Amino acid sequence: MTKNSDEVLGMTDESMSSPVTMETECSSTSNSYNILVPDDDFGLFDADLAETALKAWSTGVLTPILKEEIKYKIQAKRLQEGKEELKIEYKTCQNNQLSEEDVQRRHKRRDDNRQAAQKCRMKKKEKTDELLNETDKLEEKNDELRDTIESLKDERQRLSEMYEMHEPFCKKMKRNSAPF
């Protein structure tokens, strides 16, 4: 499938006032396409926007192009208000720029963090074991209490039956049951 930057950027022949000066071949995992780059004499071409549009087109994700659009709207508003153009610089830390002291500090911090994590994991495991032991003890006590409850219910039932059997023959109960 072949697309040029005009199609990617939404430009038409009428909007381009300068001829195409460079053609670049690009390929992605499944497609290959040509990018036609217009002359920049009239400020019609922005390499960042073209790169972002190409990235959005090739991945099918519009987020990068939406971010660029917001960036351009902010820049345009700043220029309308008479403010200077906003310059954004991204700094990346590269490991080869660290001094030997920084590298040693980083290793020490990693080692300390590793030891602290190991200590934390051990404490967590001990706490878990402790809670499991406590749970086992409480379950055993609960079983014992349930057994006690059952034996007390049985004894109460037995005593109730004995009382009911004794009640008709009890002489004391007949005397005490007289009306006052």
Side-chain angles (χ1 to χ4, degrees):
M1 171 183 269
T2 303
K3 285 200 176 223
N4 61 33
S5 64
D6 304 342
E7 293 171 339
V8 173
L9 297 174
M11 298 174 72
T12 61
D13 291 335
E14 295 85 30
S15 67
M16 290 180 51
S17 58
S18 60
V20 174
T21 59
M22 179 176 70
E23 186 171 308
T24 308
E25 178 93 8
C26 295
S27 64
S28 70
T29 56
S30 61
N31 335 359
S32 135
Y33 41 86
N34 293 327
I35 304 172
L36 301 176
V37 181
D39 238 352
D40 197 20
D41 294 340
F42 300 101
L44 293 175
F45 181 75
D46 185 349
D48 291 339
L49 184 59
E51 182 180 330
T52 304
L54 184 61
K55 184 178 178 183
W57 180 79
S58 64
T59 61
V61 178
L62 293 178
T63 305
I65 205 161
L66 293 174
K67 286 181 180 180
E68 285 294 317
E69 181 181 1
I70 292 170
K71 181 177 122 182
Y72 283 110
K73 284 183 180 181
I74 291 171
Q75 290 288 20
K77 188 173 182 178
R78 287 181 62 83
L79 292 174
Q80 276 182 343
E81 293 173 353
K83 297 178 182 176
E84 64 183 45
E85 190 172 322
L86 187 62
K87 302 284 184 197
I88 301 172
E89 293 182 20
Y90 297 103
K91 294 182 181 179
T92 57
C93 181
Q94 297 177 357
N95 288 340
N96 59 0
Q97 293 178 351
L98 295 176
S99 68
E100 184 63 33
E101 184 179 308
D102 291 337
V103 171
Q104 288 175 352
R105 215 176 305 140
R106 177 180 280 179
H107 285 302
K108 183 183 182 323
R109 192 172 48 233
R110 284 183 179 171
D111 289 340
D112 291 346
N113 189 33
R114 189 177 299 114
Q115 289 173 357
Q118 188 175 15
K119 184 178 176 182
C120 181
R121 284 190 294 270
M122 286 176 57
K123 280 186 176 181
K124 185 177 179 181
K125 186 177 183 322
E126 289 173 1
K127 182 69 173 173
T128 302
D129 291 343
E130 183 181 312
L131 288 173
L132 286 173
N133 288 337
E134 186 177 344
T135 301
D136 290 341
K137 288 178 184 175
L138 289 173
E139 285 177 352
E140 286 177 19
K141 182 160 179 115
N142 194 15
D143 290 341
E144 288 174 9
L145 290 173
R146 287 181 196 269
D147 291 343
T148 304
I149 288 172
E150 284 299 316
S151 68
L152 289 173
K153 281 182 180 179
D154 290 343
E155 186 177 350
R156 187 180 112 217
Q157 180 66 28
R158 190 176 48 82
L159 290 173
S160 258
E161 289 173 1
M162 284 177 61
Y163 175 74
E164 289 175 8
M165 286 176 39
H166 176 72
E167 188 178 17
F169 303 108
C170 183
K171 296 178 183 177
K172 286 186 179 180
M173 287 195 66
K174 288 182 185 175
R175 282 188 243 151
N176 292 338
S177 64
F180 294 102

